[in-house]
Amino acid sequence: LRSWRSIRSHFGSRDLFFSSSTFNPSVMRCLTAFLTLSLGALDQFRTDKVTSSYDPAKTTGKWYEVLFVDPGQIGASCQEFTNEFNATDGTFQQHFSVHYGRIPFSQTYIFEQDPSGEKGVYTKYLTGAKALLQLPTVVVDVTESDGQYSLMTTYTKKVVVGKASVQELRFSSRTPSLDNATLQGMVDVARKVGLNEDIIAKLKPVNQTDCPSLAMVLV
């Protein structure tokens, strides 16, 4: 991907968009591609199941992370969250909690449906902090059981031009642990939709054993 500086160098810095008062379509095509790649085009990383029939109401309730890549979770354990869906505007709140050692930590994210209306495509941000950081996020895949989703994979990528991107990959389940075959199946789907092998290789299992309750921590 060329940087903006290299694009200017390639086409010339003078009259970048207009040459002799004539619109330059080659520059605009290049700029459009540049901006599209910069935004990440995350909607491509969804299974057909998500693009055709994803229902956010079926994500409601309690979940456990089982595998993850997330710089913000380094050193964390006992990751779990509860989703609350708002049918009026299509958003849902995700009340996320972890432990760092014996210390509990929690925060709430808002998943705001993308204006495009594409299924499973969101902007994620902390409650009250939308202006500070918005994270493009997609639901990669879901598995349904008894009218609710029992497995869910989500992918987040924020590209900052000229800087390293921020990425999160989260595999979640209604139960604290999954058998190896189920986990491998989720990994295989992530590969199939085209997620980069580098981030898949960084997946770490969540330690869901000996998770202290809040009451135990406060004693």
Side-chain angles (χ1 to χ4, degrees):
L1 178 64
R2 290 177 174 150
S3 66
W4 177 244
R5 181 176 297 175
S6 66
I7 291 175
R8 287 181 62 87
S9 175
H10 180 76
F11 288 100
S13 59
R14 184 179 65 85
D15 296 329
L16 181 63
F17 293 100
F18 296 88
S19 177
S20 302
S21 301
T22 303
F23 177 69
N24 190 331
S26 296
V27 174
M28 286 306 299
R29 284 195 297 270
C30 187
L31 178 60
T32 299
F34 174 77
L35 292 175
T36 300
L37 288 172
S38 295
L39 292 171
L42 298 190
D43 58 350
Q44 67 181 299
F45 301 119
R46 298 172 297 159
T47 60
D48 291 342
K49 186 192 311 179
V50 172
T51 60
S52 63
S53 60
Y54 169 74
D55 181 356
K58 295 179 180 180
T59 70
T60 300
K62 186 171 183 177
W63 292 83
Y64 300 88
E65 272 191 10
V66 289
L67 287 176
F68 74 98
V69 178
D70 182 355
Q73 295 187 44
I74 294 174
S77 64
C78 305
Q79 292 95 312
E80 61 182 54
F81 59 91
T82 301
N83 286 342
E84 295 182 12
F85 176 62
N86 186 334
T88 301
D89 58 12
T91 65
F92 64 86
Q93 290 188 337
Q94 186 171 100
H95 307 288
F96 182 74
S97 64
V98 302
H99 283 82
Y100 292 95
R102 304 289 288 182
I103 308 300
F105 175 79
S106 63
Q107 54 191 6
T108 298
Y109 290 96
I110 303 296
F111 284 69
E112 186 175 289
Q113 188 173 15
D114 189 81
S116 68
E118 289 285 337
K119 294 180 182 294
V121 181
Y122 294 98
T123 296
K124 180 175 75 171
Y125 52 88
L126 281 171
T127 300
K130 182 178 181 180
L132 296 178
L133 182 62
Q134 300 179 41
L135 299 171
T137 300
V138 294
V139 176
V140 175
D141 191 40
V142 288
T143 298
E144 185 172 344
S145 178
D146 297 325
Q148 290 285 300
Y149 294 137
S150 57
L151 302 174
M152 179 168 59
T153 301
T154 59
Y155 177 56
T156 297
K157 185 174 183 179
K158 177 73 172 182
V159 176
V160 181
V161 177
K163 298 181 180 179
S165 62
V166 176
Q167 296 186 83
E168 302 172 7
L169 180 57
R170 302 167 63 198
F171 291 5
S172 303
S173 170
R174 298 289 188 171
T175 58
S177 62
L178 295 172
D179 60 66
N180 289 336
T182 301
L183 289 173
Q184 185 60 54
M186 297 175 77
V187 171
D188 290 344
V189 169
R191 287 195 175 103
K192 186 176 180 180
V193 298
L195 287 178
N196 193 291
E197 191 64 35
D198 289 344
I199 191 170
I200 293 175
K202 294 177 182 177
L203 282 166
K204 296 181 179 180
V206 173
N207 179 7
Q208 293 284 7
T209 61
D210 300 323
C211 293
S213 68
L214 181 60
M216 290 173 62
V217 173
L218 295 178
V219 170

